[in-house]
Amino acid sequence: MLKKSKEKEASLISPNDLGRFVTHTSEYEEALPILHAKFKVNRIEKYRPHMIFPLPPHRKPVYDFLFLTQGTSTRGKGMDTYDISSNTFFFLPAYQILNNESMSEDVQGFYCHFDLEIFSKKLIQKDFLAEFPFLQYIGNPIVKIPQQATPSVLSILKRLEYEYEHGAKCGFDLIGSYLLTLFLELKCYVPIETKIGTDAAAHTTQRYKDALAHHIYDYQKVSEFAQLLSISPNHLNRCVQATTGRSAQDLLSEMVLLEVKVLLKQTPLSISEIVYKIGKKDPSDFSRFFKNQTGMTPKEYRNS
């Protein structure tokens, strides 16, 4: 089992720690009062004309989801990319990295974000989120619903929209109840993950991606992640290569790059501080790596 030094651990930023830095600003929201910060629902087509893609990778301190009734969108959750089409939900848990790559101009549907504080403790159990894989930090964010389920789903979304537009006069309890009803409805359509369980290389690769998402501030070497997964570095690399056509080091570098982009855009940390946080020693070496990958220096990316 890998161990971290106390000195180094104190300097790390975890997803939960990022709440100190992350703003509530996203492509769909501005500086808003408490209702809007805790809960918001809007029609996507209202905002699409004002959006320019791709958007930089970012995190938000709230959960959100997208439901398309028309058009397409490409979004990334962490290191994985998903194509979203009509009658499809895309969920993103709080503090997970979002890559918003594209959205068709004819898109229609709903965007919603919510804070867990809106759920009444009278209605839910402590670990109620565990019932819904699509709300997990690590989990398939896609839920495709059949055409016959669309009317019932839309009725819930329209009621949420009504509550939002009328200032949630009945309070957060009603909003929380509607959201919980929506999640229970969607739970019936969660895909059963079978392929990844039977494909050993794909399963190992996904475990590696999950480890990168959770421990990118803890470890800096492929060998350390291999030890964390209780496999050899060579075996890990073979599995990643067979599944993605890339090396385990390539995925590690990609995750580091994602984290740095988020920190550059969403925190006041200096470039030197960011380099230290991700475990690199030389800011100059990292700047060269960053420019080689993005075509910009970290400073240029922050100011872009």
Side-chain angles (χ1 to χ4, degrees):
M1 185 70 179
L2 292 171
K3 295 183 180 179
K4 297 167 283 185
S5 68
K6 293 183 178 179
E7 179 182 358
K8 187 174 184 180
E9 187 172 11
S11 70
L12 299 176
I13 298 177
S14 70
N16 289 334
D17 294 330
L18 280 168
R20 291 180 293 133
F21 301 117
V22 177
T23 70
H24 286 281
T25 302
S26 76
E27 63 271 30
Y28 299 104
E29 53 189 300
E30 302 170 355
L32 298 167
I34 186 64
L35 167 65
H36 305 71
K38 298 293 183 183
F39 170 75
K40 184 180 178 76
V41 61
N42 281 120
R43 301 286 179 135
I44 301 170
E45 54 267 30
K46 178 181 176 182
Y47 290 89
R48 176 60 186 92
H50 309 290
M51 300 168 67
I52 300 174
F53 293 92
L55 295 167
H58 59 280
R59 281 190 174 100
K60 288 177 283 190
V62 289
Y63 288 71
D64 76 29
F65 65 81
L66 204 67
F67 176 64
L68 299 189
T69 57
Q70 178 179 301
T72 60
S73 181
T74 299
R75 282 188 153 202
K77 175 187 176 186
M79 300 178 69
D80 296 313
T81 302
Y82 301 86
D83 293 321
I84 312 162
S85 56
S86 61
N87 289 339
T88 304
F89 280 86
F90 176 92
F91 285 87
L92 192 78
Y95 301 108
Q96 177 60 278
I97 293 179
L98 170 66
N99 279 298
N100 220 331
E101 297 185 8
S102 67
M103 186 177 285
S104 63
E105 294 186 2
D106 65 339
V107 72
Q108 293 183 21
F110 291 84
Y111 163 83
C112 177
H113 76 229
F114 59 92
D115 191 293
L116 293 184
E117 291 182 16
I118 70 172
F119 291 99
S120 169
K121 293 181 174 60
K122 299 176 184 177
L123 298 175
I124 63 172
Q125 300 297 318
K126 182 178 180 182
D127 298 323
F128 86 104
L129 287 181
E131 292 187 40
F132 310 112
F134 46 85
L135 293 177
Q136 303 304 306
Y137 191 82
I138 295 172
N140 188 343
I142 296 292
V143 181
K144 177 81 172 180
I145 64 171
Q147 190 66 42
Q148 62 268 26
T150 302
S152 60
V153 166
L154 285 176
S155 68
I156 299 172
L157 291 171
K158 289 175 181 177
R159 189 55 199 265
L160 286 167
E161 183 182 34
Y162 176 87
E163 290 297 320
Y164 174 74
E165 290 177 348
H166 290 79
K169 292 182 179 179
C170 294
F172 285 136
D173 283 355
L174 189 56
I175 291 174
S177 298
Y178 284 133
L179 282 172
L180 187 56
T181 301
L182 176 64
F183 300 157
L184 289 168
E185 179 102 15
L186 297 181
K187 185 180 176 182
C188 302
Y189 306 112
V190 172
I192 299 174
E193 304 291 353
T194 55
K195 184 177 179 181
I196 197 168
T198 57
D199 187 331
H203 181 60
T204 297
T205 300
Q206 189 59 49
R207 288 179 62 218
Y208 179 51
K209 289 181 178 180
D210 295 346
L212 289 173
H214 273 109
H215 299 288
I216 195 63
Y217 292 110
D218 301 341
Y219 312 122
Q220 286 77 49
K221 297 178 181 179
V222 170
S223 59
E224 294 175 321
F225 282 98
Q227 186 177 345
L228 183 68
L229 299 176
S230 300
I231 57 179
S232 73
N234 286 340
H235 179 66
L236 173 59
N237 199 58
R238 284 196 299 270
C239 290
V240 173
Q241 188 75 40
T243 305
T244 68
R246 304 166 66 195
S247 70
Q249 182 60 50
D250 287 339
L251 294 193
L252 174 56
S253 296
E254 180 183 337
M255 191 68 214
V256 168
L257 199 63
L258 278 175
E259 291 290 337
V260 170
K261 286 180 176 180
V262 170
L263 294 176
L264 286 170
K265 289 290 190 180
Q266 292 192 277
T267 79
L269 297 174
S270 69
I271 293 172
S272 294
E273 288 173 324
I274 291 173
V275 171
Y276 176 75
K277 293 294 184 186
I278 61 169
K280 303 301 180 183
K281 305 298 182 183
D282 189 336
S284 297
D285 285 345
F286 184 79
S287 291
R288 283 190 290 272
F289 161 77
F290 190 93
K291 185 168 185 179
N292 183 56
Q293 297 295 314
T294 67
M296 293 184 283
T297 65
K299 184 177 180 180
E300 289 169 342
Y301 180 83
R302 167 169 272 174
N303 295 331
S304 65

Short mmCIF file of all heavy atoms in Angstrom, two decimals, residues 132-161:
data_model
loop_
_atom_site.label_atom_id
_atom_site.label_comp_id
_atom_site.label_asym_id
_atom_site.label_seq_id
_atom_site.Cartn_x
_atom_site.Cartn_y
_atom_site.Cartn_z
N PHE A 132 -28.14 5.74 -7.25
CA PHE A 132 -28.18 6.27 -8.60
C PHE A 132 -26.76 6.35 -9.18
O PHE A 132 -26.04 7.33 -8.94
CB PHE A 132 -28.83 7.65 -8.60
CG PHE A 132 -30.15 7.67 -7.86
CD1 PHE A 132 -30.28 8.36 -6.67
CD2 PHE A 132 -31.25 6.98 -8.35
CE1 PHE A 132 -31.48 8.37 -5.98
CE2 PHE A 132 -32.46 6.99 -7.68
CZ PHE A 132 -32.58 7.69 -6.49
N PRO A 133 -26.35 5.35 -9.95
CA PRO A 133 -24.99 5.33 -10.50
C PRO A 133 -24.63 6.56 -11.30
O PRO A 133 -23.48 7.00 -11.32
CB PRO A 133 -24.99 4.07 -11.39
CG PRO A 133 -26.10 3.23 -10.86
CD PRO A 133 -27.14 4.18 -10.36
N PHE A 134 -25.61 7.16 -11.97
CA PHE A 134 -25.34 8.32 -12.82
C PHE A 134 -24.97 9.56 -12.02
O PHE A 134 -24.50 10.55 -12.58
CB PHE A 134 -26.53 8.61 -13.73
CG PHE A 134 -27.87 8.60 -13.05
CD1 PHE A 134 -28.36 9.71 -12.40
CD2 PHE A 134 -28.64 7.44 -13.07
CE1 PHE A 134 -29.60 9.69 -11.77
CE2 PHE A 134 -29.89 7.40 -12.45
CZ PHE A 134 -30.36 8.53 -11.80
N LEU A 135 -25.17 9.55 -10.69
CA LEU A 135 -24.80 10.68 -9.85
C LEU A 135 -23.45 10.48 -9.17
O LEU A 135 -23.01 11.35 -8.40
CB LEU A 135 -25.87 10.93 -8.78
CG LEU A 135 -27.24 11.40 -9.28
CD1 LEU A 135 -28.21 11.53 -8.11
CD2 LEU A 135 -27.12 12.74 -10.01
N GLN A 136 -22.80 9.36 -9.44
CA GLN A 136 -21.54 9.05 -8.78
C GLN A 136 -20.36 9.76 -9.44
O GLN A 136 -20.37 10.00 -10.65
CB GLN A 136 -21.29 7.54 -8.79
CG GLN A 136 -22.38 6.73 -8.14
CD GLN A 136 -22.64 7.17 -6.70
OE1 GLN A 136 -21.73 7.23 -5.89
NE2 GLN A 136 -23.89 7.51 -6.40
N TYR A 137 -19.36 10.09 -8.63
CA TYR A 137 -18.14 10.73 -9.16
C TYR A 137 -17.52 9.84 -10.22
O TYR A 137 -17.01 10.31 -11.24
CB TYR A 137 -17.16 10.97 -8.01
CG TYR A 137 -15.99 11.86 -8.38
CD1 TYR A 137 -16.13 13.25 -8.37
CD2 TYR A 137 -14.76 11.33 -8.70
CE1 TYR A 137 -15.06 14.08 -8.70
CE2 TYR A 137 -13.68 12.14 -9.03
CZ TYR A 137 -13.84 13.51 -9.02
OH TYR A 137 -12.80 14.33 -9.35
N ILE A 138 -17.57 8.54 -9.98
CA ILE A 138 -17.11 7.57 -10.96
C ILE A 138 -18.33 6.73 -11.33
O ILE A 138 -18.89 6.04 -10.51
CB ILE A 138 -16.00 6.67 -10.39
CG1 ILE A 138 -14.76 7.52 -10.10
CG2 ILE A 138 -15.66 5.56 -11.36
CD1 ILE A 138 -13.68 6.76 -9.37
N GLY A 139 -18.76 6.81 -12.54
CA GLY A 139 -19.95 6.09 -12.98
C GLY A 139 -20.36 6.58 -14.35
O GLY A 139 -19.96 7.65 -14.79
N ASN A 140 -21.18 5.80 -15.04
CA ASN A 140 -21.65 6.17 -16.37
C ASN A 140 -22.63 7.33 -16.25
O ASN A 140 -23.68 7.19 -15.61
CB ASN A 140 -22.33 4.97 -17.03
CG ASN A 140 -22.66 5.22 -18.49
OD1 ASN A 140 -22.68 6.36 -18.96
ND2 ASN A 140 -22.93 4.15 -19.21
N PRO A 141 -22.33 8.49 -16.84
CA PRO A 141 -23.19 9.66 -16.69
C PRO A 141 -24.38 9.69 -17.64
O PRO A 141 -25.21 10.59 -17.57
CB PRO A 141 -22.24 10.82 -16.99
CG PRO A 141 -21.32 10.26 -18.03
CD PRO A 141 -21.12 8.80 -17.64
N ILE A 142 -24.46 8.70 -18.53
CA ILE A 142 -25.47 8.71 -19.58
C ILE A 142 -26.67 7.85 -19.19
O ILE A 142 -26.52 6.70 -18.76
CB ILE A 142 -24.89 8.17 -20.90
CG1 ILE A 142 -23.77 9.09 -21.41
CG2 ILE A 142 -25.97 8.02 -21.95
CD1 ILE A 142 -24.25 10.45 -21.85
N VAL A 143 -27.87 8.41 -19.36
CA VAL A 143 -29.10 7.65 -19.23
C VAL A 143 -29.97 7.96 -20.45
O VAL A 143 -30.40 9.09 -20.63
CB VAL A 143 -29.89 7.98 -17.94
CG1 VAL A 143 -31.15 7.12 -17.87
CG2 VAL A 143 -29.03 7.77 -16.70
N LYS A 144 -30.19 6.95 -21.26
CA LYS A 144 -31.03 7.07 -22.46
C LYS A 144 -32.42 6.55 -22.13
O LYS A 144 -32.56 5.42 -21.66
CB LYS A 144 -30.42 6.27 -23.60
CG LYS A 144 -31.23 6.26 -24.90
CD LYS A 144 -31.01 7.51 -25.70
CE LYS A 144 -31.65 7.41 -27.08
NZ LYS A 144 -31.46 8.62 -27.90
N ILE A 145 -33.44 7.37 -22.33
CA ILE A 145 -34.79 6.93 -22.00
C ILE A 145 -35.56 6.57 -23.27
O ILE A 145 -35.32 7.16 -24.33
CB ILE A 145 -35.56 8.00 -21.19
CG1 ILE A 145 -35.78 9.27 -22.02
CG2 ILE A 145 -34.83 8.32 -19.90
CD1 ILE A 145 -36.71 10.26 -21.37
N PRO A 146 -36.48 5.60 -23.18
CA PRO A 146 -37.29 5.26 -24.36
C PRO A 146 -38.30 6.35 -24.67
O PRO A 146 -38.67 7.14 -23.79
CB PRO A 146 -37.98 3.96 -23.93
CG PRO A 146 -38.02 4.02 -22.44
CD PRO A 146 -36.78 4.75 -22.02
N GLN A 147 -38.77 6.38 -25.88
CA GLN A 147 -39.70 7.41 -26.32
C GLN A 147 -40.95 7.46 -25.46
O GLN A 147 -41.47 8.53 -25.14
CB GLN A 147 -40.09 7.17 -27.78
CG GLN A 147 -40.85 8.32 -28.42
CD GLN A 147 -40.01 9.58 -28.56
OE1 GLN A 147 -38.83 9.51 -28.92
NE2 GLN A 147 -40.60 10.73 -28.26
N GLN A 148 -41.43 6.30 -25.02
CA GLN A 148 -42.67 6.28 -24.25
C GLN A 148 -42.51 6.88 -22.85
O GLN A 148 -43.50 7.23 -22.21
CB GLN A 148 -43.21 4.85 -24.13
CG GLN A 148 -42.30 3.86 -23.42
CD GLN A 148 -41.40 3.11 -24.37
OE1 GLN A 148 -41.08 3.61 -25.45
NE2 GLN A 148 -41.00 1.90 -23.99
N ALA A 149 -41.26 7.01 -22.38
CA ALA A 149 -41.03 7.59 -21.06
C ALA A 149 -40.86 9.11 -21.12
O ALA A 149 -40.87 9.77 -20.08
CB ALA A 149 -39.79 6.97 -20.43
N THR A 150 -40.72 9.64 -22.33
CA THR A 150 -40.47 11.08 -22.48
C THR A 150 -41.55 11.96 -21.85
O THR A 150 -41.22 12.92 -21.15
CB THR A 150 -40.29 11.44 -23.96
OG1 THR A 150 -39.21 10.67 -24.50
CG2 THR A 150 -39.95 12.91 -24.12
N PRO A 151 -42.84 11.69 -22.07
CA PRO A 151 -43.86 12.57 -21.47
C PRO A 151 -43.78 12.69 -19.96
O PRO A 151 -43.89 13.79 -19.40
CB PRO A 151 -45.18 11.92 -21.92
CG PRO A 151 -44.83 11.21 -23.18
CD PRO A 151 -43.44 10.69 -22.96
N SER A 152 -43.58 11.58 -19.26
CA SER A 152 -43.51 11.64 -17.79
C SER A 152 -42.27 12.36 -17.31
O SER A 152 -42.31 13.13 -16.34
CB SER A 152 -43.56 10.22 -17.20
OG SER A 152 -42.48 9.44 -17.67
N VAL A 153 -41.14 12.16 -18.03
CA VAL A 153 -39.91 12.86 -17.67
C VAL A 153 -40.05 14.36 -17.90
O VAL A 153 -39.67 15.19 -17.07
CB VAL A 153 -38.71 12.29 -18.47
CG1 VAL A 153 -37.51 13.22 -18.37
CG2 VAL A 153 -38.35 10.90 -17.96
N LEU A 154 -40.63 14.72 -19.05
CA LEU A 154 -40.82 16.14 -19.36
C LEU A 154 -41.76 16.81 -18.38
O LEU A 154 -41.58 17.99 -18.04
CB LEU A 154 -41.34 16.30 -20.78
CG LEU A 154 -40.33 16.09 -21.92
CD1 LEU A 154 -41.02 16.20 -23.27
CD2 LEU A 154 -39.19 17.10 -21.82
N SER A 155 -42.76 16.10 -17.90
CA SER A 155 -43.69 16.70 -16.94
C SER A 155 -42.98 17.08 -15.64
O SER A 155 -43.26 18.12 -15.05
CB SER A 155 -44.85 15.75 -16.65
OG SER A 155 -44.42 14.61 -15.94
N ILE A 156 -42.02 16.25 -15.22
CA ILE A 156 -41.25 16.56 -14.01
C ILE A 156 -40.35 17.76 -14.26
O ILE A 156 -40.26 18.68 -13.43
CB ILE A 156 -40.42 15.34 -13.57
CG1 ILE A 156 -41.32 14.17 -13.25
CG2 ILE A 156 -39.57 15.70 -12.34
CD1 ILE A 156 -40.57 12.87 -12.98
N LEU A 157 -39.68 17.77 -15.42
CA LEU A 157 -38.78 18.88 -15.72
C LEU A 157 -39.54 20.20 -15.85
O LEU A 157 -39.06 21.25 -15.39
CB LEU A 157 -38.02 18.57 -17.02
CG LEU A 157 -37.00 17.43 -16.93
CD1 LEU A 157 -36.48 17.08 -18.32
CD2 LEU A 157 -35.85 17.80 -16.01
N LYS A 158 -40.71 20.15 -16.44
CA LYS A 158 -41.52 21.37 -16.58
C LYS A 158 -42.01 21.86 -15.22
O LYS A 158 -42.11 23.07 -14.99
CB LYS A 158 -42.69 21.12 -17.52
CG LYS A 158 -42.26 20.98 -18.98
CD LYS A 158 -43.44 20.62 -19.88
CE LYS A 158 -42.99 20.45 -21.33
NZ LYS A 158 -44.12 20.03 -22.21
N ARG A 159 -42.30 20.95 -14.31
CA ARG A 159 -42.71 21.36 -12.96
C ARG A 159 -41.53 21.99 -12.21
O ARG A 159 -41.69 22.98 -11.49
CB ARG A 159 -43.28 20.18 -12.18
CG ARG A 159 -43.92 20.59 -10.86
CD ARG A 159 -45.00 21.66 -11.07
NE ARG A 159 -45.32 22.38 -9.85
CZ ARG A 159 -46.33 22.05 -9.03
NH1 ARG A 159 -47.08 21.01 -9.32
NH2 ARG A 159 -46.56 22.75 -7.94
N LEU A 160 -40.35 21.42 -12.39
CA LEU A 160 -39.15 22.01 -11.81
C LEU A 160 -38.91 23.41 -12.38
O LEU A 160 -38.55 24.34 -11.65
CB LEU A 160 -37.93 21.12 -12.07
CG LEU A 160 -37.82 19.84 -11.26
CD1 LEU A 160 -36.76 18.92 -11.84
CD2 LEU A 160 -37.53 20.15 -9.79
N GLU A 161 -39.12 23.55 -13.68
CA GLU A 161 -38.97 24.85 -14.34
C GLU A 161 -39.97 25.85 -13.76
O GLU A 161 -39.63 27.02 -13.50
CB GLU A 161 -39.19 24.68 -15.84
CG GLU A 161 -39.01 25.96 -16.65
CD GLU A 161 -39.29 25.74 -18.12
OE1 GLU A 161 -40.17 24.91 -18.45
OE2 GLU A 161 -38.63 26.38 -18.95
#
